[in-house]
Amino acid sequence: MRLTVGQVHRHVLALASSRSCLVLGDNLPLRMLSLPRAVRFHQTAWLGTETVQDKSASLTLASLEGQNKVEYGKKEKATRIGGPKPSSRASALKVKPKVSSFNSKPAKSTLPKSAVVKKTLKIDESLFSAKSFEELGLPPLLIDRLNKEGLSTPTEVQSAAIPIISQKHDAVIQSYTGSGKTLAYLLPILSEIGPLKRPTEQYGSDKRSGVEAVIVAPSRELGMQIVREVEKILGPNDKRLVQQLVGGANRSRQEEALKKNKPLIVVGTPGRISEISAGGKLHTHGCRFLVLDEVDQLLSFNYREDMHRILEHVGRKSGTSSRDILGPLARRSERQTILVSATIPFSVIRAARSWGHDPVLVRAMSVVPLESITVPRPVLSQPDANSNSPSNSVNQAAVDSLPPSLEHYYCISKAQHKVDTLRRCIHALEAQTVIAFMNNTKPLKDVVFKLEARGMKATELHGDLGKLARSTVLKKFKDGEFRVLVTNELSARGLDVPECDLVINLDLPTDSTHYAHRAGRTGRLGRKGTVVTICEETETFVVRKMRKQLAVPIKPCEFTEGKLLVHKEEDVE
């Protein structure tokens, strides 16, 4: 009996739907439902306990009414212009049946579709060996500032990147750690905005709409380092035009500085930039440049939500029309997206293709379209598969990130004697600026205490220190007040101490990529540097494995009588 009633109910409701007219109550306005919607509504009422929910909400008359208002708002306005609004069932039933708009194909827009124009890539290979910034086409005011700072000759990656970014191409910059990647994107940006820009327009003649460049860094140290680089180039009178928005600092003061100084360039960490943007204190819709420094770290799961908001709110992707963006955000500048990192795994290639428009890959002495780069996709590990194939791209990226002028050694020591081995290593190599890496935060203080007890000035740097304390430690270390900086993985990226001549691994890095980033703290900008790994006898196989993956000679050694003794290098299969 119940089945029969249900079938009759279905037929009646389907008949009513086929006439595209369903009247809900005597006093409710006319509602129109297509057949699929009517059937879903019927199923919801019939199943009872097994309710089919739309968008995690129960389908009620109120919600149904709200949905129909949205879907029929435009249609009702179009059909009722110049006529009375039907207010009763009688007037509604006189309406001639029409084909339901839900089943009809959407009409094609008569507006001209914006054609996506592919930018022409012009590569002048003669600039790869440029001897001065004048050859790269930088404005005179900017060149004068660089000369005052003692910067007259560009590095290889700067010679390749500056002309490409100046042509307004989206770019992925890859080069070994310490090769000058920061200036490679800062100089073309400062050529377009701020007081040192090209003399086509006088600074201040055009009305600034707000922030014109956003630079995102994964750590506070790297963010503050970028800020100092910009301030150094702008000079003391114009350093207010760059604003740091890093975590750990006072948010209220940062917001006040944004309102007071009206900076052109914002540098910060993803969380703080996203937080202030969500609070309505940071307006980046007119931003022209978006730079993601150490982008391989910004792609980690921890930054996913913050990065999504930044990418959605900073300008608009190149090659898209402003009509594609609805609501109050419709007026946006076309942004230029620049990704920077020492390693370029597949995830970075995929992100660049998604976030940019026809991006190009810039390396030292090389500029190629990113679409021409084939990177093996990550695959699930299989016992029978070739174990080298999934990690080839990661290992190659780590190799590319290593500075070329480094010497690599490893020394065997018992755990309780590692600090003494560290001290003997520093004396034997006569190193003056040393960074020692450990994997955990707790042992840092103990190592510093033992070094101080032996008359060697040392200090620690880790994430638990406040922003002011960390800045003070870094400044004193760079000024030479401390000889050894003991830190954890915090400083493996972005820490720029050009004077550093020795990196020591008191704990083994987790993989070859982390080894490369630690090693990159020395040998910066073409200087010579040394990397020494102190390990136990049982850990030597890890060193051999990294030596094979990185394809660099990590030589066994020991320190006796104040000298470095290198043993015969073992054969690497």
Side-chain angles (χ1 to χ4, degrees):
M1 182 65 181
R2 183 177 180 182
L3 180 60
T4 304
V5 173
Q7 292 176 347
V8 173
H9 191 186
R10 286 193 188 91
H11 289 308
V12 172
L13 189 55
L15 179 60
S17 304
S18 66
R19 298 182 61 87
S20 303
C21 180
L22 178 63
V23 182
L24 304 177
D26 293 335
N27 297 324
L28 292 176
L30 178 65
R31 305 295 179 206
M32 306 292 286
L33 290 179
S34 65
L35 181 58
R37 283 182 176 272
V39 172
R40 286 202 303 271
F41 174 70
H42 162 73
Q43 290 174 345
T44 304
W46 175 254
L47 293 176
T49 57
E50 299 180 3
T51 305
V52 179
Q53 296 184 351
D54 184 16
K55 296 181 181 179
S56 303
S58 59
L59 186 58
T60 62
L61 293 181
S63 63
L64 185 63
E65 179 181 350
Q67 292 174 8
N68 286 323
K69 280 182 179 179
V70 174
E71 295 173 0
Y72 274 93
K74 294 183 179 180
K75 181 178 178 182
E76 288 175 354
K77 289 181 180 179
T79 57
R80 291 174 184 171
I81 293 177
K85 181 179 178 182
S87 58
S88 64
R89 181 188 301 182
S91 59
L93 292 176
K94 292 179 182 179
V95 178
K96 293 181 181 181
K98 296 182 180 179
V99 180
S100 174
S101 61
F102 292 106
N103 299 326
S104 61
K105 295 182 180 180
K108 294 183 179 179
S109 175
T110 58
L111 293 174
K113 185 177 289 187
S114 58
V116 179
V117 180
K118 190 171 183 178
K119 297 177 181 177
T120 303
L121 181 60
K122 298 179 181 179
I123 303 175
D124 186 356
E125 295 185 358
S126 64
L127 296 178
F128 291 167
S129 55
K131 301 299 182 182
S132 66
F133 287 107
E134 288 89 343
E135 298 180 41
L136 301 179
L138 295 180
L141 291 176
L142 182 55
I143 292 175
D144 290 343
R145 288 297 311 169
L146 292 174
N147 290 333
K148 290 180 180 179
E149 296 297 329
L151 301 172
S152 57
T153 305
T155 63
E156 291 181 345
V157 70
Q158 291 168 3
S159 298
I162 291 174
I164 295 299
I165 298 176
S166 298
Q167 294 177 29
K168 303 189 183 304
H169 285 285
D170 290 352
V172 180
I173 304 176
Q174 180 199 8
S175 184
Y176 64 87
T177 305
S179 59
K181 295 187 296 294
T182 303
L183 285 182
Y185 64 78
L186 279 181
L187 295 181
I189 290 177
L190 292 174
S191 298
E192 299 292 332
I193 63 177
L196 305 177
K197 68 179 182 180
R198 303 184 191 280
T200 52
E201 295 180 9
Q202 293 297 324
Y203 175 68
S205 60
D206 55 343
K207 185 178 180 181
R208 291 193 282 118
S209 58
V211 177
E212 295 194 51
V214 172
I215 303 174
V216 188
S219 66
R220 286 175 279 188
E221 283 70 29
L222 179 56
M224 293 306 300
Q225 173 192 320
I226 297 171
V227 169
R228 286 190 291 269
E229 287 290 330
V230 180
E231 290 178 342
K232 183 170 65 175
I233 297 174
L234 290 177
N237 296 330
D238 295 309
K239 66 178 184 179
R240 60 181 179 79
L241 296 178
V242 58
Q243 172 66 39
Q244 58 85 9
L245 296 180
V246 298
N250 188 292
R251 176 183 166 182
S252 299
R253 292 182 180 177
Q254 290 174 339
E255 292 176 350
E256 290 175 3
L258 283 174
K259 184 178 180 180
K260 178 181 178 182
N261 297 331
K262 294 180 173 55
L264 293 175
I265 302 173
V266 164
V267 183
T269 49
R272 182 53 57 90
I273 291 178
S274 176
E275 185 182 12
I276 295 181
S277 175
K281 304 295 184 180
L282 177 63
H283 305 287
T284 57
H285 305 314
C287 187
R288 297 166 54 192
F289 298 93
L290 174 62
V291 180
L292 306 180
D293 207 334
E294 298 290 0
V295 64
D296 54 333
Q297 289 292 296
L298 294 175
L299 290 174
S300 66
F301 182 81
N302 295 337
Y303 298 127
R304 185 180 61 174
E305 293 184 5
D306 296 328
M307 289 304 302
H308 177 74
R309 179 176 182 85
I310 291 171
L311 289 163
E312 287 293 318
H313 286 74
V314 176
R316 62 179 170 87
K317 179 180 173 181
S318 176
T320 60
S321 172
S322 59
R323 289 195 300 270
D324 298 336
I325 306 173
L326 303 179
L329 309 185
R331 293 184 179 179
R332 294 193 179 190
S333 296
E334 183 178 287
R335 77 168 186 234
Q336 187 174 353
T337 308
I338 303 168
L339 280 60
V340 186
S341 183
T343 58
I344 306 292
F346 171 74
S347 57
V348 173
I349 301 292
R350 182 176 56 186
R353 290 170 177 167
S354 174
W355 299 342
H357 176 61
D358 295 331
V360 295
L361 178 60
V362 180
R363 291 169 170 158
M365 310 294 288
S366 170
V367 177
V368 294
L370 196 65
E371 60 186 15
S372 66
I373 301 298
T374 57
V375 182
R377 294 173 179 267
V379 297
L380 296 177
S381 59
Q382 298 177 358
D384 298 334
N386 183 5
S387 60
N388 293 329
S389 57
S391 58
N392 276 344
S393 60
V394 177
N395 293 338
Q396 185 59 42
V399 172
D400 293 340
S401 69
L402 278 172
S405 56
L406 293 183
E407 294 288 340
H408 302 265
Y409 304 97
Y410 75 91
C411 178
I412 299 175
S413 173
K414 293 183 179 180
Q416 61 268 30
H417 298 152
K418 279 190 174 183
V419 177
D420 189 57
T421 304
L422 164 65
R423 182 182 58 81
R424 289 188 285 114
C425 172
I426 294 173
H427 286 307
L429 296 175
E430 297 181 351
Q432 300 302 317
T433 308
V434 183
I435 300 179
F437 283 101
M438 303 189 73
N439 292 337
N440 300 310
T441 303
K442 289 184 179 180
L444 299 181
K445 190 178 291 296
D446 183 56
V447 172
V448 170
F449 176 79
K450 290 180 180 179
L451 289 174
E452 292 275 359
R454 289 167 174 80
M456 187 170 290
K457 298 290 290 181
T459 186
E460 60 180 315
L461 179 69
H462 52 82
D464 295 337
L465 295 177
K467 176 179 175 294
L468 180 59
R470 286 158 64 161
S471 299
T472 303
V473 167
L474 282 175
K475 185 177 184 304
K476 290 183 177 181
F477 179 61
K478 291 180 179 180
D479 292 343
E481 295 186 31
F482 296 105
R483 190 175 183 181
V484 183
L485 177 70
V486 187
T487 183
N488 53 11
E489 209 62 42
L490 166 77
S491 299
R493 288 173 175 266
L495 181 61
D496 184 20
V497 184
E499 298 79 14
C500 177
D501 49 5
L502 175 62
V503 165
I504 296 180
N505 293 315
L506 280 175
D507 290 331
L508 283 175
T510 54
D511 53 36
S512 57
T513 301
H514 286 82
Y515 180 94
H517 282 294
R518 288 183 179 186
R521 297 313 100 198
T522 185
R524 301 179 73 82
L525 295 176
R527 295 181 175 91
K528 293 183 179 181
T530 306
V531 183
V532 177
T533 300
I534 302 176
C535 61
E536 299 184 55
E537 181 71 36
T538 57
E539 297 174 325
T540 54
F541 77 96
V542 180
V543 178
R544 297 190 187 100
K545 182 179 179 181
M546 287 190 296
R547 178 172 62 187
K548 182 177 181 180
Q549 291 175 342
L550 295 172
V552 295
I554 305 180
K555 309 168 191 174
C557 72
E558 64 175 328
F559 303 97
T560 56
E561 298 180 356
K563 295 182 180 180
L564 168 67
L565 299 180
V566 182
H567 299 309
K568 183 179 178 181
E569 186 174 357
E570 301 176 13
D571 294 332
V572 183
E573 298 181 359

